[in-house]
Amino acid sequence: MQFSNSLKADMNGYENLVAGNISLPLGFRTLLAETSRLCRLQGAETEASKQTIWNTSSNVISPLIFGFVYWVLTEAELQGIKRLYFMARDGQILYKVAQVICSQWDYPIDCRYFYGSRQAFHFPAIESLGEQEFNWLFDNPGFLSIRIICQRVNLQPETISNILTNYGLLSNSWDKDLTDSEKNTLKKVFQEESVSELILSMASNYREKAVGYFKQEGMADGVPFATVDIGWSGKSQRSLSNLLAAGKIYPDTGLKGFFFGLLSSTQAFPSDLLMPYFLKVNDRSERYFLCDPQILELFMAGDHGSTVRYERQNESYVPILRSEKNESGIAWGVLVQHQAVTDFAKMLTKHLQPQECKPEYFQRVTEDLLKKFINSPSKDESEAFGKQPFSRHQTESKFYDLAPSYELQDAFKIILDPNYVHAFAWLPASIQISHPMTIMQLSYIRGRRESSSYANMAWQEFHKGNKQTAQLLATKALQSSLTILLSKRFIYLIFLLTLGL
């Protein structure tokens, strides 16, 4: 596959970005850019938003996913891993691409799609109610109510209403955002003997069925295996490890997991191994800011609902899903996204050979493409991807728009209420699709948030003794927004860095 002048003229910004990256071998970047271009041009969607999804999938999502899966398969083969479990739902499109690569490039690895989720792993892994359990149980992704926390342990607050009332947690507060004081009170409720016994009894029942499903899927047959997931902390992997240990089927060599990125890391046992592809735990480079969970999880969205638990039906164990179909996702264009990504994988593996590429080539491409998409999305991309709701809650109890569109009447509300723009908003996209009168406010919020993030990480790196990294991050904080100079802690940090302390 070679470029002609006419083909080069047909390339868009993403494709030119890949083709023009002189740090990559000419043959590799030529084939990759041309594959993206050809895949994009094959899109035949009649709806504008779905055509945008197809184009973005061809240009951004496909190289990102292909590179990750290719790295997973390469590492698995090197480590003697014979089976890979691609974790639902983020793993669905990863699994499809793995099937293509294994078929085209002859990887002798058994790839399987595995139904699981935070909810399906965390709750049955409970064998006591301590700090570790409260850590995920009270994890707060922006809004946390009594009902949400109860749902995480498969309870309705009505079931324990008498005890909640005795502790002053009345029914009119069950759906409100909890204060720190109320969270501490609710922890005491869960430590009441009658409540904890109810939770632990249910968890034991759920655990038996979860382990039954794991055995059914081959996790106890002695074949060396690893899991594949998107990220971001390893908490689900930790709960899976605990479940395997409770079921006496924990691998002798520990549980291994491949992840796109890790923002933090936790594990159940020292023998567990969490392996990141694009972002390592202590990486404070630009990649940290490119690993936006909401955006990347939308890139890897599945076509079915999340796994809630497992049940025994006749002689087999089956996953119970929140919904058989991801109706809103399918209406948005998840299947369009999947088709473009798999078409890209088929096309690329026909013209590119494994010996012609390295995982680090794809990592560089991924960094460039994400930087352009996340920081400078087009209006079409902002509208197509920004309007898709997402949930940070494991029980999917609250949803947000990825990039809310703000109208004229929102302009003053944004100024008066610092929380009016939710913490997870994809602000570059919101700026593209909002009323012109809100752009200045949104740009200010974007700069302030980025500045605060850089400043916090600079302080963390300083305390680790990484003064050079702290200096770079502090400089980025200033470049993002001069309002950071209003922070006494930041001024103190600059003072310490200047003195070389």
Side-chain angles (χ1 to χ4, degrees), residues 124-196:
I126 294 177
E127 294 188 272
S128 62
L129 283 172
E131 183 178 348
Q132 179 173 297
E133 288 72 28
F134 285 142
N135 180 258
W136 66 262
L137 188 55
F138 285 81
D139 177 50
N140 186 1
F143 179 89
L144 198 62
S145 67
I146 290 172
R147 189 174 301 279
I148 287 173
I149 294 173
C150 285
Q151 286 174 347
R152 292 178 179 179
V153 290
N154 293 284
L155 279 177
Q156 293 299 323
E158 288 81 4
T159 306
I160 55 172
S161 60
N162 290 341
I163 299 174
L164 288 170
T165 301
N166 290 341
Y167 276 85
L169 300 173
L170 306 181
S171 59
N172 60 4
S173 69
W174 293 349
D175 295 295
K176 295 180 180 179
D177 197 12
L178 287 168
T179 65
D180 289 339
S181 174
E182 288 170 333
K183 290 174 191 174
N184 290 330
T185 301
L186 187 57
K187 288 179 182 179
K188 293 177 183 178
V189 170
F190 284 162
Q191 289 169 331
E192 281 281 333
E193 185 175 355
S194 60
V195 177
S196 63

Side-chain angles (χ1 to χ4, degrees), residues 425-474:
W426 178 23
L427 287 173
S430 285
I431 290 169
Q432 283 281 358
I433 58 179
S434 294
H435 191 280
M437 291 296 290
T438 67
I439 291 176
M440 185 178 294
Q441 295 94 313
L442 293 173
S443 297
Y444 168 75
I445 291 172
R446 177 188 178 187
R448 188 184 65 191
R449 287 182 179 179
E450 289 179 355
S451 182
S452 178
S453 294
Y454 281 125
N456 287 334
M457 287 194 294
W459 190 256
Q460 293 168 13
E461 292 303 305
F462 177 79
H463 279 293
K464 293 177 185 176
N466 303 327
K467 296 177 183 177
Q468 186 174 1
T469 302
Q471 181 69 59
L472 290 172
L473 291 167

Side-chain angles (χ1 to χ4, degrees), residues 226-255:
T227 63
V228 184
D229 206 348
I230 188 171
W232 299 99
S233 68
K235 288 180 182 177
S236 292
Q237 187 85 346
R238 180 185 66 191
S239 290
L240 177 58
S241 269
N242 284 327
L243 286 170
L244 293 173
K248 303 188 185 310
I249 56 172
Y250 179 78
D252 292 338
T253 56
L255 180 60

Side-chain angles (χ1 to χ4, degrees), residues 255-390:
L255 180 60
K256 295 181 178 181
F258 294 105
F259 300 88
F260 181 83
L262 289 172
L263 298 172
S264 60
S265 179
T266 181
Q267 56 193 73
F269 306 105
S271 53
D272 286 347
L273 183 61
L274 285 71
M275 298 170 280
Y277 163 68
F278 186 72
L279 180 75
K280 296 180 180 179
V281 173
N282 293 315
D283 186 348
R284 290 299 179 261
S285 67
E286 194 67 30
R287 291 186 180 185
Y288 180 90
F289 294 91
L290 296 177
C291 277
D292 185 305
Q294 290 74 240
I295 292 175
L296 290 168
E297 286 170 16
L298 179 55
F299 283 179
M300 301 180 196
D303 65 9
H304 60 80
S306 62
T307 307
V308 177
R309 63 185 187 279
Y310 309 95
E311 290 289 350
R312 181 161 187 167
Q313 295 182 3
N314 299 321
E315 298 302 314
S316 63
Y317 292 90
V318 297
I320 303 302
L321 307 181
R322 199 172 303 281
S323 58
E324 289 300 316
K325 289 185 178 181
N326 176 8
E327 298 286 0
S328 64
I330 291 171
W332 169 76
V334 162
L335 298 181
V336 173
Q337 190 166 272
H338 280 206
Q339 190 63 55
V341 172
T342 51
D343 283 2
F344 173 95
K346 291 173 184 176
M347 200 179 302
L348 188 62
T349 50
K350 285 181 181 178
H351 298 284
L352 186 70
Q353 295 304 312
Q355 61 270 23
E356 296 177 285
C357 56
K358 296 179 181 180
E360 53 262 36
Y361 297 168
F362 286 102
Q363 289 173 339
R364 287 181 224 165
V365 168
T366 295
E367 187 167 348
D368 289 343
L369 296 175
L370 279 179
K371 194 177 297 183
K372 178 175 173 60
F373 178 83
I374 292 175
N375 297 327
S376 307
S378 69
K379 187 172 182 179
D380 288 342
E381 289 169 336
S382 300
E383 289 177 341
F385 286 84
K387 295 298 179 67
Q388 179 63 357
F390 72 92

